[in-house]
Amino acid sequence: MSTAEPLADSEDFIQLGSSSDEEEQEETEDQWTEDEDEDERETLPNGKRGASASASTSDAKQPSEKCYNGRPLPPWLKGHKRLGKGKWPEISDMINEEMTLFVKYISPTPEEHQMREWVITRMQRVLDNMKLMDADAKALCFGSFATRLYLPTSDIDMTVMLYKQNSSRKTVAPAYEGKEAVRRFLYTLARHLKNAGFCRSCEVIAHARVPIIKTHEMITGIAVDISINADSGVQSAAVQTSFSDSVYPDALRSIVLVIKQFLSQRSMNEVYTGGIGSYAITLLAVSLFQMHPRILSGGLQLSKNLGILLIEFFELYGKRFNYDNVCISVLENGRYLDKRRKGFFNMAQSYLLSIEDPCDTSNDVSKGTYGILRIKQTFGGAYDLINNAIFAYHQTRKHGEPINDTLRATAGAAASGSGDQSRRKRIKAMDGNAKRAPTNGSGLFSDDPNAHVSFLSSILSVSPSVLRSRERLVQEFYKGSMQKVLGVQYQPSLTSLLPPPPDESDKVAETEEPPAEKKVSAQDRISTMHFDFAKPGDGSAVDVITISDGE
């Protein structure tokens, strides 16, 4: 079986700039050093970025609420100084830092995560109270919550496994193997959920390919989708967890969360509406990492190039990828397959995205994403928007404002009175060795080196409704409503989603007692399932991969 040629020989990856250990050593002598100490920021004991001692008191008390282009400062940058270090930081470093800040901001808090854990616990209580005589009912979570790749507004996907009683092997009880039995149990479960006060109403979708119950938990308001005996979702969650925690722990979670937020705010994240789901997004990002020439050669440090990888994700899947002929596989360290040989080609819809399921190689993960043309166009537009934001900021640093009308329009409000003649005068007045020319005094673009700048806000936003929903959930946590219903207490040591800082993770005080042993839950056991990603697939690899320019 021939293997696919990696993208190492192609020129499809943009060269915006990147950070690696070797490049940082080579660029040290060329970086701007004047007043660098004044621009350096120190890390406070609480982990937040703070201003240096030399910063002005007025700036510390009244931080700017606008970016350099006059646009509002996005919420993930509030309370932080300007991105990057030094007077003229590398733009790649600035994007990388903004990616880190956004992921930290959008990640659920320990309180939000615990409330979701309690929703699952409450669901199990309902199942226990049903007292089934012919099966043991267990509520298992899968999807983005199980993989910790969920947004604050994401729903909870769970399946109720009806196991055979008193059996050491986890097999489905014979009474619930048929589709009709599953449908009957869905209606029974919906009735018990309402009687137990778990929800106000339930929508039973009994005749779908995978019958489910759609509802909202009453206390938290979190959406819950419940299926029956659908253990394939548990396996796919284990695959995602393995990739994000073990294979690409420095980058995958950040890329996936940003892409999910990007699609969510455009209503393109639900498969049943033609969107693309969390599992497919994760496999797309993994394939990018596996086929990236600089990652393959070891020349790209993932944790320092998150922004670059995000831009290359949009470029590859928005402008370059050959959807008509190529199927993506993450098995055997990643490869591209021929859709026809694989059996995933649809003559009527050849444009569909095809992704081989690593848990079941005969399954096309993205076959239901019928809106892929719109998603592809949106990815391509995001690539253009981020690049416009980058070039606009670069020109502002150099000329005082964007000298291109398109960049000025996309970066901020068009500056009145700054026509071609005045723009040519500023460029002509520049010294060849100067970093910037004077501004035209319009005040719409600030060339202050300490002014805030955001690149992700060109494609991302967080709506007020999301903020209100998160605030409400935290308020419910501190009201103790769920704790009273379940009779439980909060255990903060079990709910942290963010890894500890590298320089503090291994520090243990000599007098400090060892931490209590963490209780392993069913969810933790799911996340530790092992999958061998070197398993061969059943499709033939493509001899030559054609990268299309997009339409």
Side-chain angles (χ1 to χ4, degrees):
M1 180 183 297
S2 60
T3 58
E5 291 292 335
L7 294 178
D9 297 331
S10 70
E11 300 295 335
D12 294 323
F13 289 93
I14 63 174
Q15 301 298 325
L16 173 65
S18 58
S19 298
S20 63
D21 295 336
E22 296 179 356
E23 291 173 347
E24 287 176 355
Q25 294 177 0
E26 295 173 357
E27 295 174 358
T28 301
E29 299 180 356
D30 299 330
Q31 289 181 347
W32 181 278
T33 57
E34 183 178 348
D35 297 331
E36 187 170 359
D37 293 337
E38 295 181 2
D39 294 313
E40 291 291 345
R41 293 171 293 169
E42 58 184 4
T43 303
L44 301 180
N46 60 3
K48 294 183 178 181
R49 288 293 202 182
S52 62
S54 61
S56 63
T57 305
S58 60
D59 290 340
K61 292 183 178 180
Q62 297 178 350
S64 173
E65 292 297 320
K66 290 186 178 295
C67 295
Y68 82 100
N69 54 6
R71 289 188 172 182
L73 189 67
W76 56 87
L77 294 184
K78 291 182 178 180
H80 300 273
K81 283 194 67 178
R82 187 218 62 197
L83 300 172
K85 296 181 179 180
K87 194 169 185 178
W88 303 111
E90 291 289 336
I91 292 181
S92 60
D93 294 336
M94 299 175 73
I95 305 177
N96 193 76
E97 182 178 352
E98 186 174 9
M99 284 276 293
T100 302
L101 293 175
F102 178 82
V103 170
K104 183 178 180 180
Y105 174 80
I106 204 66
S107 295
T109 64
E111 293 86 351
E112 291 174 293
H113 183 73
Q114 185 62 67
M115 290 294 276
R116 289 171 177 265
E117 292 278 10
W118 283 335
V119 169
I120 301 173
T121 301
R122 192 178 185 191
M123 178 67 193
Q124 185 61 53
R125 294 276 182 92
V126 174
L127 294 174
D128 293 341
N129 292 334
M130 292 178 67
K131 298 180 180 179
L132 298 177
M133 302 299 294
D134 48 3
D136 289 330
K138 300 296 181 183
L140 299 181
C141 186
F142 62 96
S144 59
F145 180 76
T147 61
R148 306 300 192 263
L149 297 173
Y150 68 97
L151 299 174
T153 56
S154 298
D155 56 9
I156 297 178
D157 296 312
M158 67 173 69
T159 183
V160 175
M161 297 301 299
L162 300 172
Y163 293 126
K164 186 177 180 180
Q165 290 182 328
N166 303 322
S167 176
S168 58
R169 298 181 61 185
K170 296 298 182 180
T171 57
V172 176
Y176 299 98
E177 290 181 344
K179 290 185 178 180
E180 190 60 35
V182 168
R183 294 190 182 100
R184 287 197 301 267
F185 182 79
L186 280 175
Y187 287 106
T188 302
L189 177 59
R191 185 171 61 255
H192 279 81
L193 290 174
K194 288 187 289 185
N195 293 340
F198 181 91
C199 58
R200 289 185 175 88
S201 62
C202 293
E203 179 185 3
V204 180
I205 307 177
H207 296 282
R209 185 174 63 88
V210 179
I212 62 171
I213 296 175
K214 297 183 73 69
T215 186
H216 290 78
E217 199 277 330
M218 187 176 296
I219 297 176
T220 63
I222 296 175
V224 182
D225 291 349
I226 306 168
S227 59
I228 308 298
N229 296 332
D231 58 349
S232 60
V234 179
Q235 296 176 8
S236 63
V239 170
Q240 292 177 268
T241 301
S242 180
F243 274 124
S244 62
D245 292 354
S246 302
V247 184
Y248 300 108
D250 297 331
L252 184 59
R253 183 172 186 271
S254 299
I255 297 295
V256 170
L257 284 179
V258 171
I259 298 298
K260 289 189 65 174
Q261 176 64 21
F262 172 80
L263 293 172
S264 175
Q265 68 188 53
R266 291 162 176 81
S267 300
M268 298 181 179
N269 61 323
E270 297 290 351
V271 177
Y272 68 87
T273 60
I276 185 168
S278 177
Y279 189 28
I281 294 173
T282 302
L283 296 180
L284 286 178
V286 169
S287 178
L288 170 66
F289 297 162
Q290 291 176 331
M291 307 300 286
H292 196 297
R294 294 195 61 191
I295 295 177
L296 290 173
S297 64
L300 193 69
Q301 189 172 350
L302 297 181
S303 62
K304 294 186 178 181
N305 291 278
L306 298 176
I308 304 303
L309 291 171
L310 176 67
I311 295 173
E312 292 179 339
F313 180 97
F314 286 134
E315 182 190 20
L316 176 61
Y317 297 115
K319 293 178 176 292
R320 306 292 181 186
F321 190 75
N322 188 347
Y323 288 85
D324 290 343
N325 300 312
V326 178
C327 169
I328 292 173
S329 173
V330 298
L331 297 176
E332 300 184 6
N333 297 320
R335 54 183 181 161
Y336 288 153
L337 306 176
D338 189 324
K339 289 174 67 173
R340 290 174 175 81
R341 295 181 184 178
K342 181 63 179 174
F344 289 170
F345 184 79
N346 184 342
M347 183 65 70
Q349 296 176 306
S350 61
Y351 56 84
L352 290 179
L353 173 65
S354 293
I355 305 176
E356 180 188 65
D357 189 347
C359 299
D360 178 7
T361 56
S362 63
N363 178 43
D364 184 354
V365 173
S366 55
K367 60 179 177 292
T369 306
Y370 58 82
I372 189 62
L373 290 180
R374 187 164 58 101
I375 295 174
K376 173 186 175 183
Q377 184 180 19
T378 306
F379 282 165
Y383 171 77
D384 294 334
L385 287 173
I386 292 184
N387 275 285
N388 286 345
I390 292 170
F391 289 126
Y393 180 66
H394 171 72
Q395 291 183 2
T396 301
R397 291 205 308 191
K398 189 173 183 180
H399 304 302
E401 71 171 24
I403 62 175
N404 181 283
D405 292 334
T406 301
L407 296 182
R408 189 186 304 106
T410 56
S416 59
S418 58
D420 294 338
Q421 184 175 0
S422 61
R423 189 158 58 250
R424 284 195 296 268
K425 288 181 180 179
R426 287 199 309 278
I427 298 174
K428 185 176 181 180
M430 287 187 62
D431 187 302
N433 297 323
K435 288 286 183 181
R436 306 186 314 273
T439 63
N440 65 345
S442 65
L444 294 176
F445 290 90
S446 172
D447 58 355
D448 179 4
N450 293 317
H452 282 291
V453 57
S454 172
F455 303 106
L456 292 184
S457 61
S458 62
I459 62 169
L460 296 177
S461 64
V462 180
S463 66
S465 62
V466 173
L467 299 179
R468 289 193 298 267
S469 176
R470 299 188 69 176
E471 182 180 3
R472 176 185 174 276
L473 191 61
V474 174
Q475 288 175 348
E476 288 293 338
F477 173 87
Y478 286 107
K479 282 172 60 178
S481 303
M482 186 70 85
Q483 293 92 314
K484 293 178 181 178
V485 170
L486 297 177
V488 296
Q489 294 181 348
Y490 178 45
Q491 298 179 357
S493 62
L494 304 183
T495 57
S496 177
L497 293 182
L498 297 175
D503 57 339
E504 296 180 2
S505 59
D506 296 329
K507 292 182 180 179
V508 179
E510 295 181 358
T511 60
E512 183 180 356
E513 295 182 0
E517 183 178 359
K518 179 178 176 180
K519 184 178 179 181
V520 180
S521 63
Q523 181 56 50
D524 295 326
R525 288 194 293 271
I526 293 172
S527 64
T528 57
M529 292 175 64
H530 174 71
F531 280 80
D532 183 8
F533 294 106
K535 177 183 176 182
D538 58 358
S540 301
V542 180
D543 295 328
V544 178
I545 298 300
T546 304
I547 305 298
S548 64
D549 293 331
E551 298 178 359

